[in-house]
Amino acid sequence: MSTFLVEIVTPERKVYEETANMVSVKGVEGELGILPNHIPLVTPLRIAPVTIKRDGGKVDVVAVNGGFIEVRKDKVVILAESAEMAKDIDVARAEAAKQRAQQRLAARQDEIDFRRAERALQRAMNRLEITNR
Ligand code: ATP
């Protein structure tokens, strides 16, 4: 089966690098399944899990917190503010972040705080989702 390279990179580090058969992401305009020989593309991503299918049926899941996907000829690069594999996620920290964000949302202050808390909540839920799989 033909394959391509997948890299997930944050400002801090390279989180993931593997050869894949398929990558599924949640773009701002909907779900995207990238197969080999996909046309070049750059599009923003939602805060959501990214799924990578590899040879031998292995599936990896990465919590990707926004950013962009760039599909090149023989490589897919995901650039995100933060991203973690399930094994690197501190569940207690994500639970605490979720609670903090929920408390802020319940307090309902101004618009900017609301959006920020909403994004923090999405990041925490994204992390918790992939650790629960
Ligand atoms: P928190 O409020 O707990 O800091 P956050 O969503 O604001 O969470 P980010 O700004 O997205 O955190 O990430 C900052 C750094 O901390 C990144 O390197 C990210 O990978 C890491 N990180 C954040 N939350 C967790 C977690 N629950 N487990 C492991 N690493 C985490």
Side-chain angles (χ1 to χ4, degrees):
M1 192 185 261
S2 88
T3 58
F4 54 94
L5 193 67
V6 179
E7 278 182 18
I8 302 178
V9 183
T10 72
E12 287 165 18
R13 65 197 179 101
K14 185 175 284 185
V15 174
Y16 184 88
E17 182 174 28
E18 290 289 349
T19 301
N21 300 315
M22 182 179 179
V23 180
S24 303
V25 301
K26 199 180 250 185
V28 289
E29 281 157 28
E31 300 270 348
L32 265 175
I34 311 292
L35 293 166
N37 305 311
H38 193 283
I39 52 160
L41 169 88
V42 177
T43 197
L45 295 178
R46 294 197 188 283
I47 296 170
V50 167
T51 305
I52 302 110
K53 291 188 178 149
R54 291 160 58 193
D55 275 343
K58 193 164 186 332
V59 178
D60 295 325
V61 183
V62 183
V64 171
N65 300 311
F68 289 85
I69 184 169
E70 180 184 3
V71 181
R72 300 184 196 163
K73 227 184 203 163
D74 53 2
K75 188 179 185 180
V76 168
V77 180
I78 292 171
L79 290 166
E81 280 297 316
S82 63
E84 304 89 29
M85 299 194 66
K87 65 176 172 56
D88 297 321
I89 290 174
D90 176 340
V91 172
R93 178 175 166 180
E95 290 283 8
K98 181 182 170 187
Q99 280 201 357
R100 239 176 7 249
Q102 282 174 332
Q103 279 161 9
R104 288 196 179 115
L105 289 171
R108 286 192 171 275
Q109 290 162 348
D110 61 58
E111 176 94 352
I112 296 166
D113 267 347
F114 187 81
R115 291 232 175 93
R116 185 173 159 187
E118 226 170 29
R119 277 197 296 270
L121 180 59
Q122 285 172 5
R123 289 195 298 276
M125 304 229 331
N126 190 26
R127 289 173 178 128
L128 292 171
E129 184 184 336
I130 77 154
T131 55
N132 283 333
R133 287 190 182 186

